[in-house]
Amino acid sequence: MSETAEKSLNFIEQIIEEDVKNGKHGARIHTRFPPEPNGFLHIGHAKAIYVNFTLAKKYGGVTNLRFDDTNPVKEDTKYVNAIKRDIEWMGFEWTGEPLYTSDYFEQLYGFAVDLIKKGCAYVDDQSPDEIAAQKGTPTEPGSHSPFRDRSIEENLELFEGMRNGEFEEGARVLRAKIDMSHSNMHMRDPLMYRIKKVTHHRTGDDWCIYPMYDFAHGQSDSIEEITHSLCSLEFENHRPLYNWFIEKLEIFPTRQIEFARLNLNYTVMSKRKLLRLVEDGVVDGWDDPRLPTISALRRRGYTPESIRDFAERVGLAKRNNIIDIGLLEFSIRDHLNKIAPRVMAVLRPLKVVVTNYPEGKTEYLTTENNPEDESAGTRELPFGRELFIEQADFMEDAPKKFFRLAPGKVVRLKSAYIIEYVDHKKDAAGNVTEVHVKYLEDSRSGQDTSGIKAKGTLHWVSAEHAKDAEVRLYDRLFKDEAPDSHKDRDFMEFINEDSLEIITNAKVEPSLVEAKSGDRFQFQRLGYFCVDSKYSTDGKPVFNRTVTLKDTWAKQKGK
RNA sequence: UGCCCCAUGGUGUAAUGGUAGCACACCAGAUUUUGGUUCUGUUUGUCAAGGUUCGAGUCCUUGUGGGGCAACCA
């Protein structure tokens, strides 16, 4: 992360620099990432993680990881582990041990008692429906609960009763006593505690009352002395309440700052919708490479560096945004171009016979592993009389701008020889089954004295030496740019039925059978591929296509 | 018909009262044993109307458009 002197600051950095300049909190910066352990992290979270961790680090601060586990109905330890793994994989380190809002339940209870004693909270015996009815609407004020003016003593007694399990679920709640006619709905006597006789993933059955988000999140920030609590725009309306509790409780004044969350086109990001895709079997689990979850991106072959680069590029502001998926693809191409070894793989093989090459002969040709990185070295490729090239690299009736193999054309085989078209065979259906060519013996790569210039260069594998491999090609999961933006159509209607193509008979160069789970390659002229962690077996790797190479030829064809 | 937030090329994001810049995308060209990479160049923008000012993307007013808020969810 090289910071050029010219680089302008985003609005949060400006706030932080102002705070540092003024010596606020001793110029200390402390942020937190507060996931609820009820689902998997996605690329939107990745931005929030990036923002919280890099901002703190930039100003010499640290970041807490705090699981916001105040709703035992939805939360589970299995998510805790997945979330920790994803953050670590992204390359970030939280300070100390992971923290949990549930660690503060006793303290939070004390805060509530304090508020009751100050006359700022009361126990309400009404049902959810009654409370909702009194809430009013955004344009009409609410009305007071008949229990609003209970004595402090009675409130204290009832609240303790709630804690002790004396009442049924839903029978009573604790509410803040603020203003039922406030223009901000969140200030109309919001709920602080509700009764839930549910086992919590960490505290077990110790509690049967649990604090609401609004009475847990800000207070946890205060307890941890978080200086800047960064959250998404939807919590803007909660900030007055956040500050009200800080003021009444006289606790550490964390400042909440909201920023716009990340949105990506051609996908969905909400946990609920992601869960539906998984449960309906549309995708193959939370880490299906077509999903925008961090575990899916990892499995697909994205690097942590590329995710961080992307998070930096999307910027930080308060404006709602929809980022083009193409930007994410740029980030991963940019990184993989520098680090991925180039290899030969033919996805849809077409047999080529080099008629003037000796039968039974094998020669080994040297090729560079990565033209962008000399230190990557070279390797030897077997070459023989029978080869496979890509079906799309031969055309019987080629347009003038087709730089590949066709009647009357010559092409270079990458790191090998220039070949010249001789003949081709077709089956009964008219499909080309075999192409015959002659090679130019004096055109060997690196020792070319033929004087011939070939316009195109093809990738290839030796038929005798090539290994079979399975390759999985992914396309966007949705056909619509914003599948969940249609008011009267379900996002599932926009599923792209062709988002996964499995090729079982790809031919790859022999070295690839030794590839290990997670290894990344550039299949020359095709794209970047990663050995799948789920379906690969020893000696039989399955390759996931991370992203294609930029393809200006395909673009031209489309015209 | 309440409150809060937002509005700069196709998409994002800068300019903090003084030349509207950067990235991605797009288009054109150069290089290339990957139609990749790299390099060069072009096109495209301040929501509207008033006001303040020598000067407004920036400040003020009023509109318009978009987003959020009425879960015992977070």
Side-chain angles (χ1 to χ4, degrees), chain A residues 203-348:
Chain A
T203 59
D205 295 321
D206 292 354
W207 294 85
C208 60
I209 57 171
Y210 293 94
M212 302 289 292
Y213 167 85
D214 280 319
F215 194 67
H217 195 102
Q219 290 62 40
S220 301
D221 284 341
S222 278
I223 290 168
E224 294 172 15
E225 301 201 337
I226 299 299
T227 57
H228 302 264
S229 181
L230 313 180
C231 63
S232 50
L233 255 25
E234 61 201 289
F235 293 103
E236 228 154 13
N237 289 336
H238 295 244
R239 180 152 36 90
L241 178 58
Y242 186 104
N243 292 336
W244 189 87
F245 281 130
I246 285 174
E247 193 184 312
K248 296 298 175 194
L249 256 14
E250 301 175 82
I251 53 180
F252 183 87
T254 299
R255 175 171 177 183
Q256 175 180 298
I257 303 168
E258 311 84 16
F259 65 90
R261 62 164 44 160
L262 168 75
N263 297 294
L264 263 189
N265 60 10
Y266 293 103
T267 191
V268 293
M269 211 77 100
S270 88
K271 282 180 192 170
R272 209 198 91 245
K273 297 192 177 88
L274 256 15
L275 181 66
R276 205 168 136 203
L277 290 168
V278 173
E279 288 188 335
D280 288 9
V282 173
V283 296
D284 175 32
W286 282 97
D287 63 349
D288 184 291
R290 291 166 291 179
L291 255 21
T293 56
I294 294 179
S295 48
L297 293 167
R298 174 169 56 232
R299 185 170 156 205
R300 181 151 171 174
Y302 276 78
T303 60
E305 289 90 337
S306 69
I307 304 285
R308 283 187 253 129
D309 179 65
F310 172 70
E312 175 66 33
R313 283 174 190 276
V314 298
L316 188 62
K318 295 193 71 163
R319 187 183 326 165
N320 291 311
N321 60 75
I322 302 176
I323 307 291
D324 192 322
I325 186 78
L327 189 61
L328 215 209
E329 295 179 345
F330 171 83
S331 288
I332 186 60
R333 281 196 192 104
D334 192 45
H335 187 219
L336 257 18
N337 177 49
K338 296 183 184 98
I339 64 162
R342 271 59 169 173
V343 295
M344 298 283 204
V346 175
L347 266 33
R348 297 175 178 87

Side-chain angles (χ1 to χ4, degrees), chain A residues 65 151 156 279 327 394 479 492:
Chain A
L65 169 60
S151 71
L156 249 19
E279 288 188 335
L327 189 61
F394 177 79
K479 287 179 283 196
M492 298 287 263

